[in-house]
Amino acid sequence: MSVATRTKTDLGEMSAAELSELFASGEASPVEATRTALDRIERFNPSVNAFAYVVADAALAEAKASEERWRKGEPLSPIDGAPTTIKELTAVKGIPWRRGSILGGTEPSTREIEIVERLRAAGATILGTTTSPEFGWKGLTHGPATGNTLNPWHTGRASGGSSGGAAVAAALNMGVLHEGSDGAGSIRIPAAFCGVFGIKPTFGWIPADAPSALFELAHRGPLTRTVEDAALFLNATTGWSPRALYGHCPSPVPDWRKVVREGAGVKGMKLAYSRTLGYAEVDAEVARAVDRAVKRLADMGATIEEVDPGFACPQETLLTLWYAAQAKALAAFNPSDEQKAKMDPGLLKICAEGASYSALDYLAARQARAELTVHMELFFQRYDALVLPTMPLTAFEAGVDFPGGGEGRDWSDWSPFTYPFNLTGQPATTVPCGFDADGLPIGLQFVGPSFHDARLLSMAAAYQATHPEPRIGEPREM
């Protein structure tokens, strides 16, 4: 079944951009918006399990402060008072830092990282934290500590992950801005499965001030209903920081909202279209939807060339870096046998493998990653962007790691189109482009050269404006 929602007439169906206009005119207040978001959480979350923690009292207190700033004509930013969520892998003051695991914190955190500080400085109202699998280790959101986060289009299907809670919250507008992280597809996978927009920005735009054994693989970014809302999130969070541990932000930083509102879109763009990257299999319904989307892009003025980027499947490179990083993260907790019995067996398995790698194995993977990055940067000397499916399939049954309950090397077996661009650090977005016969969303992915995120946002905004897909509860063409 799907989760029934109201029609788009109430405050809870507004975007961050629309709420900002209502706050400025005095037609609505941040307190009203926050109460509405909390009401939606109360109504919808029991059916989908998208939240790890909800901090209603703290959120209302922040909303009241925002209301006063808008009353005085002194908002901190356009997202002052915007109901916002943070993925539970991200530390937030006042909320236990669970990290999807029984090993996580149970007491309110006393620390938070710069992306949260920047959202607070922009006046965002934090509603709580959204669910993730244990330590974000897979592209799904279920596990012993978190339970199962379900797809709002069909609650028998998976939400994707590891930012599954954020994607579900975005789809149901339980808040308007949703922070996620993406180490191998963890923003784009759930965004595609749940029919929302997501962007993994070029590594460096958002400061990486939290220690991570994933290093440059671990991007942070927004999941939202609209491209413009994602731009508002990026305006608040991008920019140079002396605290960045890995990678650095160039200067100047674009006005992302201006890019979305005034950008050229796709007209005149030379786009490469790859159906399979040369090595993946794609479901026929997904292929048809993406082919249709590419034809739409051509009709909108883009020049399309069907071409694969010309690299071999980099899964082994990804898994060496991924497994080693997860082994390092787990070692810091030194879990007991009793604790391990309450953890995700898949996580323990990959950590054991990651711990067996040699320094030479790891360095070889780092070298392969660097070579892939150069290969793709050279590819983008010939094309403005690469267009491809976000996922080769739509959301499969909830609660399993592989479609049909089968087995494989790793969850990345069924997500071949996301992790290559974590390895390169390049920007990648996903925008809804249709549905399968079961009414499950399909995502279209744009990838571009490093620090050309503005190009992708402009393209995605133009596509979304020209070919908007219905939201949950709205009729759609069959």
Side-chain angles (χ1 to χ4, degrees):
M1 67 175 183
S2 65
V3 177
T5 63
R6 299 178 186 173
T7 57
K8 189 184 176 184
T9 56
D10 62 72
L11 199 62
E13 285 293 327
M14 300 294 110
S15 68
E18 290 167 333
L19 287 178
S20 183
E21 293 177 359
L22 293 175
F23 297 163
S25 67
E27 295 175 70
S29 78
V31 172
E32 291 172 322
T34 297
R35 284 179 176 152
T36 301
L38 291 169
D39 176 64
R40 292 177 74 86
I41 294 170
E42 185 176 348
R43 285 188 287 132
F44 301 144
N45 194 59
S47 299
V48 292
N49 185 38
F51 280 81
Y53 291 96
V54 177
V55 286
D57 290 344
L60 287 169
E62 292 171 7
K64 288 176 182 176
S66 174
E67 182 177 66
E68 184 64 14
R69 290 191 293 270
W70 281 103
R71 188 187 67 79
K72 292 179 177 179
E74 300 173 352
L76 297 173
S77 80
I79 66 166
D80 198 335
T84 301
T85 72
I86 308 296
K87 185 177 178 180
E88 68 169 324
L89 296 187
T90 301
V92 183
K93 285 182 179 177
I95 300 176
W97 190 16
R98 187 173 71 162
R99 290 180 272 197
S101 176
I102 64 159
L103 303 179
T106 57
E107 298 297 322
S109 175
T110 58
R111 55 168 297 199
E112 58 191 22
I113 63 173
E114 193 158 1
I115 189 172
V116 181
E117 293 175 352
R118 289 183 174 189
L119 287 167
R120 289 193 192 277
T125 295
I126 295 177
L127 302 171
T129 52
T130 53
T131 52
S132 166
E134 198 157 17
F135 295 106
W137 82 270
K138 60 186 175 183
L140 297 156
T141 304
H142 64 259
T146 62
N148 205 341
T149 297
L150 304 173
N151 194 304
W153 292 90
H154 187 311
T155 53
R157 303 296 181 92
S159 62
S162 62
S163 305
V168 173
L172 291 169
N173 228 34
M174 296 186 290
V176 291
L177 302 175
H178 308 276
E179 185 259 1
S181 58
D182 189 318
S186 288
I187 286 173
R188 290 159 291 152
I189 295 168
F193 275 10
C194 294
V196 299
F197 177 76
I199 178 170
K200 176 188 76 64
T202 302
F203 190 87
W205 279 126
I206 294 176
D209 64 314
S212 171
L214 287 170
F215 298 104
E216 297 90 349
L217 294 181
H219 302 232
R220 295 179 187 273
L223 297 93
T224 55
R225 284 191 171 190
T226 69
V227 181
E228 184 175 14
D229 279 5
L232 289 170
F233 181 105
L234 292 173
N235 271 358
T237 56
T238 52
W240 182 84
S241 170
R243 292 157 50 183
L245 294 169
Y246 326 108
H248 288 285
C249 178
S251 182
V253 178
D255 180 338
W256 305 108
R257 188 185 200 185
K258 184 177 181 181
V259 163
V260 165
R261 288 189 164 185
E262 302 178 13
V266 303
K267 189 174 183 180
M269 293 286 184
K270 184 178 181 182
L271 307 180
Y273 173 35
S274 177
R275 287 184 174 86
T276 67
L277 289 181
Y279 54 78
E281 295 183 1
V282 180
D283 176 84
E285 289 188 278
V286 172
R288 283 194 293 270
V290 174
D291 280 346
R292 181 184 65 178
V294 170
K295 182 181 183 301
R296 289 171 170 175
L297 291 168
D299 292 342
M300 292 166 64
T303 299
I304 310 291
E305 182 178 336
E306 293 188 25
V307 59
D308 296 325
F311 57 80
C313 176
Q315 187 183 31
E316 289 302 320
T317 297
L318 180 278
L319 295 186
T320 299
L321 300 173
W322 188 265
Y323 290 5
Q326 293 291 355
K328 171 69 168 58
L330 184 63
F333 288 89
N334 190 27
S336 66
D337 289 343
E338 182 180 359
Q339 289 173 316
K340 287 180 180 179
K342 300 176 182 177
M343 295 176 66
D344 192 322
L347 173 62
L348 297 175
K349 179 181 176 182
I350 71 162
C351 287
E353 185 171 342
S356 73
Y357 295 150
S358 70
L360 293 179
D361 295 330
Y362 184 81
L363 290 173
R366 292 281 295 182
Q367 180 64 29
R369 174 189 172 278
E371 291 170 357
L372 178 61
T373 301
V374 171
H375 178 92
M376 284 307 300
E377 290 295 348
L378 291 173
F379 180 81
F380 287 125
Q381 297 298 302
R382 307 193 303 275
Y383 301 98
D384 293 307
L386 171 66
V387 184
L388 69 165
T390 307
M391 297 296 295
L393 75 177
T394 53
F396 52 88
E397 60 269 41
V400 298
D401 287 351
F402 294 90
E407 296 183 359
R409 171 72 196 278
D410 182 87
W411 63 266
S412 54
D413 288 348
W414 48 260
S415 184
F417 300 131
T418 57
Y419 63 79
F421 310 109
N422 293 85
L423 292 169
T424 66
Q426 293 165 326
T429 69
T430 181
V431 64
C433 72
F435 297 86
D436 71 4
D438 291 328
L440 292 162
I442 294 169
L444 176 70
Q445 185 173 201
F446 298 131
V447 182
S450 295
F451 296 109
H452 285 72
D453 307 49
R455 181 183 302 170
L456 300 189
L457 285 168
S458 179
M459 291 170 57
Y463 184 87
Q464 188 177 61
T466 308
H467 299 286
E469 295 293 342
R471 295 169 182 164
I472 293 172
E474 296 176 346
R476 57 181 181 272
E477 294 181 7
M478 301 302 293

